[in-house]
Amino acid sequence: MNLYDPARIPRSTIPENQEFPMLALSSWVTPENKFYIRNHFPYPVLPTNDWKLSIVGFVQHPIHLNYQALFQYPQITLPVTMECSGNKRTYFQPKTRGVQWEQGAVSHAIWTGVSLRTLLQAAGISPNAREVIFEGMDTGERTDLPGTFRFARSLPIEKSMHPDTLIALYMNGKPLPYKHGYPARLIVPNWYGMASVKWLYRIVATDQEFKGPFQEKDYVVYRSEADTKRRPVTLMKVNAAISQPTDQTIMRRGMHIITGTAWSGHGFVKKVEISLDRGKSWSLVRWLDPEEKYSWRRWGWDWHVPVPGTYHIMVKATDDKDNTQPLQAEWNVNGYENNSMPQIQIYVE
Amino acid sequence: MNLYDPARIPRSTIPENQEFPMLALSSWVTPENKFYIRNHFPYPVLPTNDWKLSIVGFVQHPIHLNYQALFQYPQITLPVTMECSGNKRTYFQPKTRGVQWEQGAVSHAIWTGVSLRTLLQAAGISPNAREVIFEGMDTGERTDLPGTFRFARSLPIEKSMHPDTLIALYMNGKPLPYKHGYPARLIVPNWYGMASVKWLYRIVATDQEFKGPFQEKDYVVYRSEADTKRRPVTLMKVNAAISQPTDQTIMRRGMHIITGTAWSGHGFVKKVEISLDRGKSWSLVRWLDPEEKYSWRRWGWDWHVPVPGTYHIMVKATDDKDNTQPLQAEWNVNGYENNSMPQIQIYVE
């Protein structure tokens, strides 16, 4: 362990919620022990020997695959950035309920597994299937409803049949760590993290709209209880984070490098700009990572500061669909999808 | 390692600054790997064999003690709470420069070592000595002055001769960890942490007022650059933290326990109160720890919540000198000594 190697930032204990230490962004791939953790329930107890992944419902022949069986199918490897839809929640004003994530509920790893499409086809998915439901092994109580629940989410059939939607078995070249969903988890590129169900045990094709509370009550954007224009959380908005320097840092005159990362669920990030005059003028950063379909791109900007003073730094990312970050994200009751421009203040002496 | 055992919260990398994860306050004594870390410089390179602690200056016979020699003197063991004077800096409005500590730049450990007084007497401290300077092995640059500096601080002779001011060799029953000042560090009970110099190598008795930048420029409270009423940071103000629940948490109706800790450098904490009506009425907590001279006291309060709603919780500690926490701490340029009452908002469904 490096002397200066910081760990994840805890936000809640049980369930465990921890964020990636963005100030220590040092590699394109987030190590498994730094990758952010977002749980709804305590960790599940895994079956010792008899775990099987079932694919049932609107399929011609339900299948039940053990861990080894999953490796019989072609394995696909994809680098994918995952962001919690509550990332940056703490920056909403007024504050919104829930885990007070700063900017580290986002990470990037390399996932290896079977294309979900391959398994759905192996089970003979029905042409009438409209959604696919993913059930995790994690269960627990909710504050708003009586009883015990299982974490479960659905995906539209189109996204389920996309060849890059994975049943991931490996993370960064090793079997999934327990905390990241061992033995198998869903990886839904471009979507916010709630879609990528961990500790999978059952996949159900259905002709109905799934009505579970993690689908219908949570992960829905609305501006007030009376708001009738509600929409589900799906694709990650274009977003960015500054890793160094951190806010309110005191620096010497001279040359400094401002670094960070940017991502979008709508495409790749084509542009990151920095402003030192509160948005009047913008400069382009240089890339530390190449363009990749589902990956964040780290960037750097050489900042020559000859004059002491207080500096205000704003960052704005734009993706290839021309989505760009707002100065302030749209406030919503549950504090989702905050993609406002990162801003820091620096003192140069 | 417990499944739910969170690590320290990183605030800066080099120098390393990390806070205690207050949300995981679970024991009176903070384990060494959770104890907050506040450094001014990168970690020092320690001499391999020839480390000696020198006591020089206004003494009759300078002494140079190696590690083993320090164990020849009587060893004292004291539980002491240490708080960074920048703790809670991030809560100042407007924000102040420096490490943006939340409420975890405070910890509590059991220190064992030699009374500094014993060593000063062994060296024959001069009656003309007015201050004692403590020099650490950590060195580096400052943003405001040219050149290389060593972290060094002084104490008034009275505090230096207090039998509880320690040259600590052990922390929680084991040799000091490197990150906490091995082989020897100062422990100054009741004072903010900047006084407790780590990686000691030289102690200088002097008849002058020490003018080092960590004494004269830093750790001085003033309200503006023009403020003429400047005063040094010394004793920890009465202060408290809520460990559970965390801000903006959603809970079920029923019984919950609010827990936290409180401390004061002016005496022991005699009272912690909780208000649910923004300070109109207050209830006393129960103690989880006994009264101890230099130690924080954890507390708990059983909160029965039969009615759903949004709850605002305030906590206020009072010490045996009747010092109490303000609603808002006095803003000062460097953001020191924030001891405002902790406040959280909780949603009960």
Side-chain angles (χ1 to χ4, degrees):
Chain A
M1 186 68 96
N2 186 296
L3 196 56
Y4 293 101
D5 191 31
R8 281 184 285 236
I9 302 173
R11 296 288 168 211
S12 83
T13 41
I14 303 182
E16 184 173 44
N17 284 296
Q18 297 224 42
E19 60 182 87
F20 168 67
M22 184 59 74
L23 82 173
L25 175 76
S26 58
S27 54
W28 185 57
V29 171
T30 311
E32 308 84 83
N33 65 347
K34 298 279 170 64
F35 199 101
Y36 84 92
I37 286 180
R38 198 281 180 256
N39 289 319
H40 299 79
F41 296 127
Y43 286 104
V45 177
L46 303 187
T48 46
N49 271 315
D50 55 349
W51 178 82
K52 281 198 174 123
L53 180 62
S54 297
I55 299 172
V56 297
F58 272 59
V59 294
Q60 278 159 23
H61 31 83
I63 52 179
H64 308 276
L65 301 162
N66 67 19
Y67 189 62
Q68 286 69 30
L70 285 166
F71 287 94
Q72 306 309 309
Y73 293 93
Q75 304 288 305
I76 290 171
T77 292
L78 278 179
V80 174
T81 292
M82 192 182 299
E83 182 189 16
C84 175
S85 57
N87 193 26
K88 301 191 183 181
R89 178 177 286 132
T90 202
Y91 307 134
F92 276 116
Q93 279 301 340
K95 290 235 179 216
T96 59
R97 60 184 70 189
V99 180
Q100 296 298 295
W101 301 107
E102 296 189 12
Q103 61 172 1
V106 57
S107 300
H108 177 253
I110 296 175
W111 309 94
T112 301
V114 186
S115 178
L116 170 63
R117 173 199 182 93
T118 305
L119 299 181
L120 292 174
Q121 286 173 337
I125 179 94
S126 156
N128 297 325
R130 178 176 162 193
E131 292 192 359
V132 179
I133 304 167
F134 303 90
E135 300 179 347
M137 290 187 275
D138 45 334
T139 59
E141 297 187 340
R142 290 176 58 97
T143 55
D144 56 346
L145 297 167
T148 297
F149 294 85
R150 179 177 294 289
F151 186 72
R153 291 270 317 173
S154 76
L155 278 183
I157 191 68
E158 301 72 31
K159 188 71 182 170
S160 304
M161 293 299 281
H162 190 290
D164 291 345
T165 299
L166 289 190
I167 303 299
L169 304 167
Y170 271 49
M171 179 183 191
N172 297 341
K174 285 160 285 191
L176 279 176
Y178 172 53
K179 289 194 172 188
H180 292 293
Y182 179 86
R185 73 174 298 172
L186 192 62
I187 290 293
V188 185
N190 287 337
W191 283 48
Y192 282 108
M194 75 283 150
S196 294
V197 179
K198 298 193 285 290
W199 308 293
L200 279 177
Y201 90 110
R202 204 163 71 137
I203 295 175
V204 187
T206 168
D207 66 340
Q208 307 287 310
E209 207 179 326
F210 177 59
K211 304 274 191 192
F214 296 99
Q215 193 84 18
E216 279 234 308
K217 298 199 77 170
D218 302 340
Y219 303 112
V220 175
V221 175
Y222 51 96
R223 314 244 181 106
S224 70
E225 294 302 334
D227 189 350
T228 52
K229 281 189 294 198
R230 300 182 175 219
R231 62 170 182 81
V233 171
T234 57
L235 298 180
M236 297 185 292
K237 289 189 168 174
V238 62
N239 211 342
I242 300 172
S243 62
Q244 290 282 352
T246 51
D247 191 31
Q248 307 296 326
T249 294
I250 310 161
M251 300 177 109
R252 303 187 79 152
R253 272 167 282 178
M255 185 61 87
H256 299 287
I257 306 178
I258 301 173
T259 55
T261 186
W263 62 95
S264 171
H266 295 266
F268 67 87
V269 176
K270 73 169 181 196
K271 186 166 78 173
V272 168
E273 295 160 291
I274 287 197
S275 175
L276 276 111
D277 54 10
R278 295 187 182 264
K280 284 193 215 69
S281 64
W282 295 91
S283 309
L284 284 174
V285 302
R286 59 187 165 81
W287 296 114
L288 305 181
D289 298 317
E291 207 176 285
E292 273 274 0
K293 226 168 165 180
Y294 303 127
S295 295
W296 69 17
R297 290 181 87 176
R298 290 173 305 145
W299 48 265
W301 192 70
D302 301 323
W303 184 31
H304 179 55
V305 221
V307 185
T310 300
Y311 290 87
H312 183 264
I313 297 169
M314 286 167 72
V315 165
K316 181 174 65 173
T318 304
D319 68 22
D320 65 339
K321 310 292 184 303
D322 281 327
N323 297 301
T324 193
Q325 292 183 262
L327 190 57
Q328 264 201 303
E330 272 183 21
W331 191 93
N332 60 88
V333 171
N334 291 315
Y336 295 130
E337 302 184 350
N338 191 331
N339 71 329
S340 57
M341 302 179 201
Q343 302 191 35
I344 56 173
Q345 184 155 288
I346 300 296
Y347 307 89
V348 177
E349 293 191 321
Chain B
M1 185 70 95
N2 186 296
L3 196 56
Y4 293 101
D5 192 32
R8 281 184 285 236
I9 301 173
R11 296 289 168 211
S12 83
T13 41
I14 303 182
E16 184 173 43
N17 284 296
Q18 298 224 42
E19 58 181 270
F20 168 67
M22 184 58 76
L23 81 173
L25 175 75
S26 59
S27 54
W28 185 57
V29 171
T30 311
E32 309 84 84
N33 65 347
K34 298 280 170 64
F35 199 100
Y36 84 92
I37 286 180
R38 198 282 180 256
N39 290 319
H40 298 78
F41 296 128
Y43 286 105
V45 177
L46 304 186
T48 45
N49 271 315
D50 55 349
W51 178 82
K52 279 196 176 125
L53 180 61
S54 297
I55 301 174
V56 297
F58 271 59
V59 295
Q60 279 159 22
H61 31 84
I63 52 179
H64 307 276
L65 302 161
N66 68 20
Y67 189 62
Q68 285 68 31
L70 285 165
F71 287 94
Q72 305 309 309
Y73 294 93
Q75 303 289 305
I76 290 171
T77 291
L78 278 179
V80 174
T81 292
M82 193 183 298
E83 182 189 16
C84 176
S85 57
N87 193 26
K88 300 191 183 182
R89 177 177 287 131
T90 200
Y91 307 134
F92 275 116
Q93 281 300 340
K95 290 235 178 218
T96 59
R97 59 184 73 188
V99 181
Q100 296 298 294
W101 300 107
E102 297 189 13
Q103 61 172 1
V106 57
S107 299
H108 177 252
I110 296 174
W111 308 94
T112 301
V114 186
S115 179
L116 170 62
R117 174 198 181 93
T118 305
L119 299 182
L120 291 175
Q121 286 174 336
I125 179 94
S126 157
N128 297 325
R130 179 176 160 190
E131 291 192 358
V132 179
I133 304 166
F134 304 90
E135 299 179 347
M137 290 186 275
D138 45 334
T139 61
E141 297 187 339
R142 289 177 57 98
T143 54
D144 56 347
L145 298 167
T148 297
F149 294 84
R150 180 178 293 290
F151 186 73
R153 291 271 315 175
S154 77
L155 278 183
I157 191 70
E158 302 73 32
K159 188 70 183 173
S160 304
M161 293 299 281
H162 190 289
D164 292 346
T165 299
L166 290 189
I167 302 299
L169 304 167
Y170 271 50
M171 180 184 191
N172 297 340
K174 285 160 286 191
L176 279 177
Y178 171 55
K179 289 195 172 187
H180 292 294
Y182 180 85
R185 73 174 298 172
L186 192 62
I187 290 292
V188 185
N190 287 337
W191 283 48
Y192 282 107
M194 76 283 148
S196 294
V197 179
K198 298 193 285 289
W199 308 292
L200 280 176
Y201 89 109
R202 202 162 73 136
I203 295 174
V204 186
T206 168
D207 66 341
Q208 307 287 309
E209 208 179 323
F210 177 58
K211 303 274 192 193
F214 296 99
Q215 194 84 18
E216 279 234 308
K217 299 200 76 171
D218 302 341
Y219 302 112
V220 175
V221 175
Y222 51 95
R223 314 243 182 105
S224 70
E225 294 302 334
D227 189 350
T228 53
K229 281 189 294 198
R230 300 182 176 220
R231 62 170 181 80
V233 171
T234 57
L235 298 179
M236 296 185 292
K237 289 190 168 173
V238 62
N239 211 343
I242 300 171
S243 61
Q244 290 282 353
T246 51
D247 191 30
Q248 307 296 326
T249 294
I250 310 161
M251 299 177 108
R252 301 186 79 151
R253 272 166 284 178
M255 185 61 87
H256 299 286
I257 306 178
I258 301 172
T259 54
T261 186
W263 63 95
S264 170
H266 294 266
F268 66 87
V269 176
K270 73 169 182 196
K271 188 166 77 174
V272 168
E273 296 161 290
I274 287 196
S275 176
L276 276 112
D277 54 9
R278 296 187 181 264
K280 286 193 212 71
S281 64
W282 294 92
S283 309
L284 285 174
V285 301
R286 59 187 164 81
W287 296 114
L288 305 181
D289 297 317
E291 206 177 286
E292 272 274 0
K293 228 169 164 180
Y294 303 127
S295 295
W296 69 17
R297 290 181 86 176
R298 291 172 304 146
W299 48 265
W301 192 71
D302 301 323
W303 183 32
H304 180 56
V305 221
V307 185
T310 300
Y311 291 87
H312 183 265
I313 298 169
M314 287 168 72
V315 165
K316 181 174 65 173
T318 304
D319 69 21
D320 66 340
K321 309 295 184 300
D322 282 327
N323 296 302
T324 193
Q325 291 183 260
L327 190 57
Q328 265 202 300
E330 272 184 21
W331 191 94
N332 60 88
V333 172
N334 291 315
Y336 295 130
E337 302 184 348
N338 191 333
N339 71 330
S340 58
M341 303 179 201
Q343 303 190 36
I344 56 172
Q345 184 154 289
I346 300 297
Y347 306 89
V348 177
E349 291 190 324

